[in-house]
Amino acid sequence: MSGDTNNDTPMMRQYARLKEQHRDAVLFFRLGDFYEMFRSDAVEASRILGLTLTQRGGVPMCGIPHHASGSYIARLIHAGKKVAICEQTKLPAGGGLAEREVVNVVTPGTLVEEDLLERSSNNYLLSIAAGSTEMSLVYTDLSTGELAGTVYPLEGAPLHLRAELTRLRPREVLVQESLLSDYPRIKAVLTESDRLLNSYPDWNYNLSESRKSLERVLGVVSLKGFGIADDSLLPLACGVLIEYLRDTSGSDLSHIRSLQQYSRQDHVQLDDATLRNLELLTNMHDGTSNYTLRRTLDFCRTSMGSRMLARWIGAPSTDMALVADRQENITRLYHNQMLLSSLREELGRVLDLERLASRVAMERAHPKDLVAIAASLEGILRLQELSSEYLGESSLPIRSSEEMEQISSMASHLRGALLDEPSVTIHEGGIFRDGFDPELDSLRGLSRDGARYLEEYLERERSVTGVSSLKIKHNRVLGYYLETTKSGAGSVPDHFIRRQSLSNAERFTTEELAGLEEGITGAEEGSNERERALFITIRDRCVPAIPLFLACADRTARLDCLASLALAATRNGYVRPELIEEPVLEIRAGRHPVVERHSADGSFVPNDLVLGGKSPLFRLVTGPNMAGKSTFLRQTALIVLMAQMGSFVPAEAARIGLVDRVFCRVGAQDNLARGESTFLVEMSETAAILRNAGPQSLVIMDEVGRGTGTTDGLAIATAVTEYLLETIGARTLFATHFHELTAMQAPQLGNLSLEVAETGGELIFRKRVVEGPSEQSYGVHVAALAGIPAAVVRRAEELLDQAHAELADGESTTANHASMSAGSSAKTGRPGTTSARSRTTELFSNEELLVNEITSISVENLTPLEALTKIAEWQKRLRG
Ligand code: ADP
């Protein structure tokens, strides 16, 4: 092919034409046994894949063997690239240019390839579009056929979008161009991480066209059946989405059977900060699922179950009936451990029916997939048998006798047809059982008989020639041939035609042998072809059952989640919480589900909490650092969210009034990555709470105001507290290090603190929550624990005493103040800096100060002259 890469060759013109249509993808150009990449694709791919870049005719290129393409594609996708796969669709008889076509485009958000997908996670593609006042947000997982969407006001869209991005973690987003150009905050949210973003000009977004295209995919004449009103904006984001799915996958999307419309009110609203702070699905440390609620609760046996459980955790429900139903069925499993363990055993035999069924719909299922479907259907039948007496209908995988009939006949049809271990490809036979198809049997008979005919023929030739060393062998070049030793070759008859002479053997063919060979290979080819055709038929027979498969898959996933939660309750000692509508929260001996799992047995200290009812709705929580405040705050939110998933909770008893939103603002930690000031982020998140929280919400705030100076911080924390108490009235836990706040008084305000004991100058954190404010901040003690030099700690203690003395003086004038205002107490907190400086020399010896100064010098920033001057100065000070 040398010279072919020249721009003007027919092949490069063909390449240029294909590349033109797939400018945003790396084009894998099939050339014989290789996929070649050219020009900028080659430069980029060679960098990502570590391939050697070569030049032909001045064109940079690199290539990979076609049979090993999977892992290379995976790495490009992982790097956020799209890959367009171009195959040779026709080889011209007399040489010349092959016809080539892009057969599919692999993109991060539309993966269906088993080995590129994560088993226990959904792989979402998100599409967003805007009307005049609202936004349409739709997402899909092509590998499972899930399609869901919602409409929400444009006002506040960035926050909502950010929460959905955190919850769904889409790999790719389709967005209307004007959303990026006209709404900088939406653009900022979308470009925060490096997920693949595809923007489309506004003329692609036409509501009635989108609606029609959606109706066609779903096979309906109206969307009313999905609860989507005629004037709903929801379909707007679907048009582009559907077109994109079709273009990239080349499939007709027949496995996408419904659009699930959800509204924000259906589940507990969790903003982006809350989702991350509570470490529900991923941790803040490395973004994996280690040390998360998900990891603690996921005992699912199927990947469908794990995926569903992640969806439940990311969106606990606000629907009392739904939560109560899950809870009831978990309780039944919890009380029937025998059933629970046999269900789990059976669930272990169900494979990923969701993705298997989707592969059937996309004509990608191979013979092993159909056997996996049969095994899963059998598993589902056994699950039904095991659970139908004990569980409510909502938790059973099969809902009617017709369904049962259909599933068992499908399962036995597939089982009866397919070998237990069929081949993975459809071209080489080895798919069907004997006896399934008479025509296949007779073709197989012919090729098997062929072997017998060969034996008989060999016997005849041996007796005719008297050469007992005569053998029949086969290789790819000669096909079947007769072989003798050199010595036997002398006595072969005339009808033997010499094909090959080797040093120790001679090879022949005969007319009869050639005839036999034709019969044998013909029968083999015929039987392979027959198997292929039969397979396509049997796969097509599955197609009408896909909606049923997907429904059963969904229900099985649900059963798996319930079993997983029942097992988590059993293993971790959770109780069934009582759910009520009133805004009350009562937790007896609550624990943090994740921290306790990673603490030594029995070392986690449980704590009580009552908010609402006869107790204050709002609790300030004080205590030194490391006392256990954050853990207590977070465990409260987690217990509530677990309860609203339907799960049991880590406590001795719990009464939980359903919440509509949970806000969890904890410190200011990982926002620097976004390039915003921590304080600004802290304040905008606080603003979101104050604007969106209501009387049914749960607010968890930890250290608000820490991002700024003491005076400002205290003022802000006080004002926020006032507003939450007076205007919002949400159940609130507010941890603070501003002790001045604990003096505030209001009917719904109470103080809690974490108990700390001091023995022999050492602090012991008991991790126990007690009524009333904490005595002091103990910050200095913690500093000592952390290894701050003794001299510094001593000095800090002095300053603290001084500050307390000043505070006591000040308090005589402010003690009876209604304490709702921050100003007066805030002024008292800080010791005078002048006095601090003047006392330094008394506390630290000259030597101590010198050593300190020397060790803190950064030598690399010192000029030689400065160094000399320093030394002179020190000498002077030491000499007195
Ligand atoms: P704070 O927010 O007051 O600084 P943390 O909540 O971060 O304190 O807790 C400090 C440490 O104590 C953490 O390592 C945490 O795992 C542990 N811890 C917190 N609460 C408990 C508890 N109730 N029982 C046992 N260990 C706890």
Side-chain angles (χ1 to χ4, degrees):
M1 54 154 272
S2 60
D4 264 6
T5 44
N6 186 313
N7 279 349
D8 291 333
T9 63
M11 194 193 78
M12 282 315 279
R13 280 201 294 277
Q14 184 187 43
Y15 171 82
R17 207 170 47 247
L18 289 164
K19 180 65 199 171
E20 178 63 24
Q21 293 158 11
H22 297 277
R23 270 186 282 184
D24 59 348
V26 174
L27 183 65
F28 272 30
F29 190 77
R30 182 69 179 267
L31 211 56
D33 284 340
F34 280 78
Y35 286 121
E36 298 288 351
M37 285 155 272
F38 300 107
R39 304 202 177 111
S40 58
D41 279 359
V43 175
E44 191 167 26
S46 65
R47 182 178 51 79
I48 297 172
L49 303 173
L51 300 172
T52 314
L53 193 65
T54 55
Q55 297 261 351
R56 291 262 174 91
V59 176
M61 60 180 287
C62 63
I64 51 161
H66 115 273
H67 61 84
S69 61
S71 68
Y72 292 104
I73 294 175
R75 278 155 65 196
L76 287 170
I77 294 296
H78 194 72
K81 299 280 156 219
K82 298 182 188 182
V83 181
I85 315 275
C86 157
E87 297 291 358
Q88 295 171 172
T89 47
K90 212 172 190 184
L91 291 170
L97 190 62
E99 280 179 26
R100 291 188 174 83
E101 242 176 72
V102 169
V103 290
N104 75 322
V105 183
V106 188
T107 86
T110 59
L111 296 180
V112 288
E113 292 76 5
E114 210 177 341
D115 42 355
L116 299 183
L117 284 163
E118 248 178 83
R119 285 183 56 232
S120 333
S121 298
N122 276 112
N123 194 74
Y124 288 129
L125 169 69
L126 187 77
S127 173
I128 49 175
S132 52
T133 57
E134 289 177 320
M135 210 163 139
S136 153
L137 176 151
V138 180
Y139 62 86
T140 187
D141 181 340
L142 186 63
S143 72
T144 65
E146 181 186 358
L147 175 68
T150 187
V151 171
Y152 54 91
L154 260 174
E155 199 198 327
L159 279 180
H160 185 67
L161 183 60
R162 181 178 278 161
E164 290 292 66
L165 290 174
T166 307
R167 180 172 77 93
L168 302 167
R169 293 196 295 149
R171 300 280 303 272
E172 192 174 351
V173 179
L174 312 179
V175 56
Q176 187 178 348
E177 223 161 59
S178 61
L179 266 176
L180 293 177
S181 54
D182 301 351
Y183 298 88
R185 290 187 57 212
I186 290 183
K187 181 176 178 183
V189 169
L190 285 172
T191 48
E192 246 159 37
S193 84
D194 52 7
R195 75 176 66 78
L196 190 57
L197 206 59
N198 307 275
S199 69
Y200 291 87
D202 283 25
W203 50 260
N204 289 284
Y205 296 83
N206 173 309
L207 187 56
S208 77
E209 291 292 317
S210 290
R211 170 178 285 276
K212 276 190 213 128
S213 136
L214 182 60
E215 285 166 351
R216 274 195 299 276
V217 166
L218 299 177
V220 293
V221 286
S222 150
L223 297 174
K224 286 225 176 64
F226 300 104
I228 299 167
D230 285 341
D231 58 351
S232 165
L233 190 75
L234 187 60
L236 188 64
C238 293
V240 163
L241 179 81
I242 290 167
E243 203 171 314
Y244 188 74
L245 290 176
R246 281 218 184 93
D247 284 354
T248 52
S249 72
S251 118
D252 67 352
L253 312 178
S254 62
H255 62 306
I256 299 185
R257 301 283 9 120
S258 81
L259 171 59
Q260 195 199 340
Q261 183 178 215
Y262 64 97
S263 107
R264 285 198 284 169
Q265 283 74 36
D266 299 342
H267 52 250
V268 182
Q269 287 173 50
L270 304 167
D271 60 17
D272 158 65
T274 306
L275 278 163
R276 283 180 301 113
N277 285 327
L278 290 177
E279 307 194 303
L280 297 178
L281 298 168
T282 52
N283 71 37
M284 308 246 280
H285 168 62
D286 60 8
T288 65
S289 65
N290 295 333
Y291 304 101
T292 58
L293 185 64
R294 175 178 186 180
R295 184 56 73 82
T296 308
L297 297 181
D298 188 355
F299 291 97
C300 286
R301 300 296 313 272
T302 68
S303 2
M304 310 183 282
S306 287
R307 294 195 294 266
M308 182 177 276
L309 191 67
R311 297 198 292 271
W312 285 11
I313 293 174
S317 175
T318 49
D319 178 345
M320 175 72 99
L322 185 143
V323 178
D325 182 71
R326 286 185 195 167
Q327 210 186 51
E328 174 57 30
N329 286 291
I330 292 172
T331 309
R332 292 183 196 183
L333 291 171
Y334 178 83
H335 288 305
N336 192 341
Q337 292 287 326
M338 290 272 283
L339 172 64
L340 178 60
S341 83
S342 25
L343 277 183
R344 293 191 70 249
E345 200 179 314
E346 209 52 71
L347 280 162
R349 300 203 182 98
V350 176
L351 294 137
D352 199 337
L353 187 55
E354 232 174 11
R355 284 185 174 159
L356 288 165
S358 301
R359 281 212 288 279
V360 171
M362 287 185 278
E363 298 178 356
R364 284 165 175 266
H366 51 64
K368 266 196 161 46
D369 286 342
L370 292 199
V371 172
I373 289 182
S376 305
L377 296 178
E378 289 160 357
I380 287 174
L381 289 166
R382 284 191 297 265
L383 284 171
Q384 179 78 5
E385 201 178 305
L386 283 169
S387 49
S388 57
E389 258 182 62
Y390 301 95
L391 299 183
E393 170 155 341
S394 64
S395 304
L396 300 178
I398 300 173
R399 299 282 162 83
S400 68
S401 47
E402 293 87 74
E403 281 187 6
M404 174 86 90
E405 187 99 337
Q406 221 183 327
I407 290 172
S408 38
S409 85
M410 207 71 209
S412 49
H413 177 65
L414 292 174
R415 273 290 189 215
L418 298 161
L419 290 169
D420 290 339
E421 294 281 342
S423 133
V424 217
T425 75
I426 65 173
H427 304 288
E428 290 162 15
I431 304 175
F432 290 93
R433 292 184 194 279
D434 284 338
F436 169 67
D437 176 62
E439 191 182 328
L440 176 61
D441 286 348
S442 79
L443 286 165
R444 276 182 179 165
L446 278 182
S447 72
R448 264 183 228 136
D449 289 347
R452 208 182 63 233
Y453 294 150
L454 281 177
E455 276 300 309
E456 288 168 5
Y457 170 68
L458 178 63
E459 276 314 306
R460 264 189 281 130
E461 291 290 11
R462 271 185 187 157
S463 58
V464 171
T465 57
V467 183
S468 60
S469 66
L470 200 61
K471 290 192 180 91
I472 289 184
K473 290 188 171 176
H474 182 270
N475 72 23
R476 287 243 308 262
V477 183
L478 299 182
Y480 289 102
Y481 56 85
L482 289 154
E483 189 178 278
T484 73
T485 54
K486 279 277 185 214
S487 55
S491 41
V492 299
D494 290 348
H495 66 274
F496 272 42
I497 308 157
R498 190 180 306 272
R499 296 293 308 275
Q500 202 176 24
S501 290
L502 303 177
S503 57
N504 54 355
E506 290 291 326
R507 292 174 172 176
F508 304 93
T509 186
T510 66
E511 250 173 56
E512 194 173 348
L513 183 61
L516 278 174
E517 173 165 10
E518 208 177 293
I520 292 169
T521 43
E524 233 169 59
E525 272 166 20
S527 95
N528 287 352
E529 177 48 34
R530 178 72 188 157
E531 290 207 61
R532 199 189 64 80
L534 282 173
F535 180 75
I536 305 287
T537 315
I538 201 167
R539 189 168 73 186
D540 288 349
R541 251 197 86 179
C542 291
V543 170
I546 288 173
L548 177 61
F549 290 170
L550 289 174
C552 288
D554 195 61
R555 298 171 197 154
T556 306
R558 188 174 188 280
L559 183 58
D560 200 8
C561 288
L562 297 173
S564 174
L565 293 175
L567 190 69
T570 312
R571 293 233 176 122
N572 304 337
Y574 299 162
V575 294
R576 176 180 182 167
E578 182 189 343
L579 299 170
I580 51 174
E581 301 279 3
E582 298 74 50
V584 172
L585 198 56
E586 292 175 21
I587 298 169
R588 196 172 76 222
R591 286 136 31 214
H592 190 298
V594 184
V595 174
E596 80 160 343
R597 278 274 305 252
H598 296 96
S599 311
D601 271 357
S603 67
F604 191 89
V605 181
N607 277 306
D608 298 343
L609 173 69
V610 181
L611 292 178
K614 292 201 182 86
S615 294
L617 266 179
F618 189 118
R619 292 287 197 162
L620 282 168
V621 183
T622 43
N625 287 334
M626 291 301 289
K629 298 183 299 298
S630 304
T631 308
F632 177 64
L633 261 59
R634 286 172 203 230
Q635 87 187 25
T636 305
L638 290 174
I639 287 173
V640 169
L641 293 178
M642 284 171 75
Q644 291 194 222
M645 285 166 54
S647 171
F648 285 19
V649 298
E652 272 174 27
R655 265 183 99 223
I656 289 167
L658 294 190
V659 306
D660 61 355
R661 295 151 200 227
V662 172
F663 295 95
C664 180
R665 250 268 356 117
V666 182
Q669 292 158 13
D670 61 342
N671 306 303
L672 292 175
R674 280 189 209 148
E676 295 173 58
S677 114
T678 32
F679 181 61
L680 189 66
V681 172
E682 185 181 345
M683 284 302 108
S684 63
E685 288 179 6
T686 306
I689 299 182
L690 299 182
R691 262 197 249 114
N692 297 305
Q696 285 294 125
S697 309
L698 174 67
V699 177
I700 302 287
M701 292 183 110
D702 197 355
E703 305 279 19
V704 163
R706 186 161 67 174
T708 183
T710 318
T711 319
D712 279 3
L714 176 57
I716 290 167
T718 310
V720 167
T721 305
E722 284 177 12
Y723 190 81
L724 281 167
L725 268 167
E726 291 172 0
T727 312
I728 294 180
R731 283 162 281 176
T732 305
L733 288 180
F734 194 108
T736 182
H737 64 294
F738 294 120
H739 284 264
E740 295 83 347
L741 275 184
T742 61
M744 283 175 69
Q745 284 176 1
Q748 284 296 351
L749 176 69
N751 272 292
L752 293 175
S753 56
L754 279 122
E755 199 181 21
V756 179
E758 201 175 343
T759 47
E762 284 209 10
L763 285 186
I764 299 168
F765 300 121
R766 298 209 187 278
K767 311 281 161 59
R768 200 160 33 226
V769 175
V770 291
E771 286 285 339
S774 121
E775 301 279 303
Q776 42 178 305
S777 93
Y778 298 99
V780 177
H781 280 88
V782 177
L785 286 182
I788 300 276
V792 177
V793 173
R794 271 205 314 277
R795 172 70 184 130
E797 274 167 350
E798 285 250 343
L799 291 174
L800 198 62
D801 288 347
Q802 184 189 342
H804 282 151
E806 284 174 24
L807 189 62
D809 285 351
E811 264 171 10
S812 55
T813 53
T814 53
N816 297 326
H817 189 83
S819 291
M820 273 290 196
S821 103
S824 56
S825 41
K827 279 189 210 114
T828 61
R830 184 165 275 190
T833 38
T834 336
S835 75
R837 210 176 296 125
S838 67
R839 296 180 63 173
T840 305
T841 38
E842 292 166 33
L843 266 167
F844 300 131
S845 72
N846 226 349
E847 285 78 6
E848 269 179 310
L849 286 173
L850 252 177
V851 169
N852 227 356
E853 205 171 318
I854 293 171
T855 45
S856 59
I857 278 182
S858 60
V859 180
E860 60 273 21
N861 295 330
L862 221 57
T863 66
L865 186 63
E866 280 168 346
L868 288 174
T869 321
K870 275 266 166 222
I871 295 172
E873 182 194 318
W874 292 330
Q875 277 181 340
K876 201 166 133 204
R877 267 162 56 190
L878 280 173
R879 286 177 191 141

